[in-house]
């Protein structure tokens, strides 16, 4: 594995305003094996030892943010690339916590940028644990996924607003996010959202309907099997009591969910992932062992 020069810190945040961290990973396919080919980091972003519980051709990797939370002025930048025919699954050991903004900080926002690139014949599964956005947080994240014509992507995002167990709702603050998925230089999906604390959309039937958590699962298969993917996800969730919906766009299947909390959300997301994985990757679901610890 090559250790590159540490990537530059994100330029938009002053160096003295908070943690600025970046992580770059690349995976390569060599002689029937997927191996890490590049690792570079700066600041508090790290990886644990990788594993191959499914065989040598698919690499499991855990990304760690040692501070455990993201505060005003923090800026995280993650870049991951799966080279031709490489296969990788990435997750995290715990929830990402986005703390209440410090009104005295020079930069009140906390930011994260994620760039995933999947080359020809490769697959990448991005399955981090949930993001908990505290009341009063000012959080921004941008996710950009770039796929080759025959690449496969599974990407999950689960967000919990406030801390209902502590009777804390998302009454103040703001959450902004932008997501883009591009295949073969053609835009498949683009979404920009601004969600303000206390907004009517939090309780609207057309919004979150009073739910404190919501999630999205994107399935972009390198094969022409979108109808089969949508059908298998629907079938596995038909008996679920949760609120969910599955839709398709050209080249993409999207699962949306809203509910009471992370446990319910992951039950739906992981059931859908397990149903879709054999069609997308030709192998059954294999949960990262960190999920059981």
């Amino acid at each position: 594995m090559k250790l590159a020069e540490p990537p530059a810190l994100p330029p938009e945040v002053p160096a003295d305003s908070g943690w600025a961290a970046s992580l770059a990973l690349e995976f390569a396919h060599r002689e029937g094996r997927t191996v890490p080919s590049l690792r570079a980091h700066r600041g508090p972003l790290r990886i644990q030892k990788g594993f191959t519980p499914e065989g040598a051709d698919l690499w499991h990797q855990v990304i760690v943010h040692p501070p455990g939370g993201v505060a005003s002025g923090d800026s995280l930048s993650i870049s991951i690339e799966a080279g031709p025919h490489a296969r990788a699954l990435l997750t995290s050991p715990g929830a990402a916590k986005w703390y209440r903004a410090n009104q005295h900080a020079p930069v009140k926002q906390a930011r994260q940028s994620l760039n995933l690139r999947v080359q020809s014949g490769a697959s990448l599964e991005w399955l981090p644990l949930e993001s908990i956005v505290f009341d009063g947080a000012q959080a921004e994240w941008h996710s950009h996924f770039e796929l080759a014509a025959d690449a496969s992507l599974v990407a999950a995002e689960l967000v919990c607003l406030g801390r209902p167990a502590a009777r804390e709702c998302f009454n103040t603050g703001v959450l902004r996010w932008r997501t883009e998925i591009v295949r073969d230089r053609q835009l498949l999906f683009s979404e920009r959202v601004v969600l303000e604390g206390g907004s009517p959309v939090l309780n609207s039937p057309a919004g979150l309907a009073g739910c404190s958590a919501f999630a999205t699962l994107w399935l972009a298969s390198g094969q022409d099997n979108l109808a089969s993917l949508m059908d298998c996800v629907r079938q596995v969730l038909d008996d679920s009591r949760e609120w969910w919906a599955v839709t398709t766009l050209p080249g993409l299947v999207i699962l949306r969910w809203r509910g009471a909390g992370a446990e319910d959300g992951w039950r739906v997301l992981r059931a859908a992932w397990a149903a879709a994985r054999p069609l997308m990757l030709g192998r059954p679901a294999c949960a990262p062992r960190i999920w059981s610890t």
Side-chain angles (χ1 to χ4, degrees):
M1 179 176 63
K2 178 174 63 175
L3 296 179
E5 288 294 321
L9 295 176
E12 67 274 14
V13 177
D16 61 351
S17 66
W19 287 110
S22 56
L23 174 69
L25 301 174
E26 293 181 10
F27 299 92
H29 184 263
R30 297 172 182 167
E31 299 179 350
R33 301 171 59 89
T34 293
V35 296
S37 57
L38 181 144
R39 182 189 72 208
H41 66 85
R42 185 184 296 271
L45 276 172
R46 298 289 192 275
I47 58 173
Q48 294 183 355
K49 179 182 178 181
F51 298 94
T52 54
E54 306 181 63
D57 63 331
L58 199 153
W59 188 271
H60 284 216
Q61 189 71 71
V62 178
I63 296 178
V64 181
H65 180 231
V70 191
S72 290
D74 288 358
S75 184
L76 310 181
S77 177
I78 300 172
S79 176
I80 302 168
E81 180 171 337
H85 304 289
R87 293 187 169 191
L89 183 155
L90 296 104
T91 187
S92 60
K97 301 177 181 68
W98 295 75
Y99 294 137
R100 178 188 296 270
N102 179 357
Q103 298 304 315
H104 302 290
V107 176
K108 297 179 179 61
Q109 293 79 15
R111 299 183 174 95
Q112 175 179 285
S113 66
L114 172 67
N115 287 277
L116 267 60
R117 186 181 182 193
V118 193
Q119 295 195 27
S120 179
S123 71
L124 199 56
E125 297 167 271
W126 174 250
L127 302 171
L129 296 188
E130 64 273 10
S131 295
I132 302 174
V133 182
F134 287 29
D135 182 36
Q138 295 192 26
E140 301 179 10
W141 56 74
H142 175 203
S143 301
H144 179 84
F145 306 104
E146 186 175 340
L147 314 177
D150 60 347
S152 294
L153 170 74
V154 178
E157 182 175 81
L158 196 160
V159 180
C160 301
L161 299 175
R163 294 179 294 171
R167 299 183 179 179
E168 177 189 287
C169 299
F170 188 59
N171 293 321
T172 61
V174 61
L175 169 60
R176 296 181 175 88
W177 74 85
R178 178 160 49 112
T179 305
E180 300 150 345
I181 301 177
V182 176
R183 183 186 290 281
D184 201 20
R185 300 185 180 180
Q186 298 295 316
L187 183 66
L188 299 183
F189 179 86
S190 180
E191 179 177 71
R192 296 190 182 201
V193 180
V194 177
L195 185 60
E196 296 182 350
S199 168
V201 76
L202 297 176
N203 293 302
S204 168
L208 293 182
C211 297
S212 61
F214 59 94
T216 305
L217 180 70
W218 295 274
L219 304 171
S221 176
Q223 308 172 48
D224 185 17
N225 60 354
L226 289 182
S228 298
L229 272 178
M230 185 175 68
D231 287 344
C232 79
V233 171
R234 285 184 180 277
Q235 289 173 12
V236 77
L237 297 180
D238 270 344
D239 294 332
S240 171
R241 296 181 181 179
E242 304 291 336
W243 185 95
W244 57 269
V246 181
T247 57
T248 60
L249 293 175
L252 193 62
V253 173
I254 304 171
L255 168 65
R256 302 280 198 179
W257 169 88
R258 69 186 183 197
E263 184 177 349
D264 294 336
W266 279 121
R267 183 167 54 248
V268 169
L269 292 178
R270 289 174 183 171
W273 166 67
R277 203 173 193 245
L279 291 176
M280 295 183 65
L281 305 185
R283 61 176 67 215
C286 177
R289 72 182 194 179
I290 194 75
W291 291 356
S292 301
T293 60

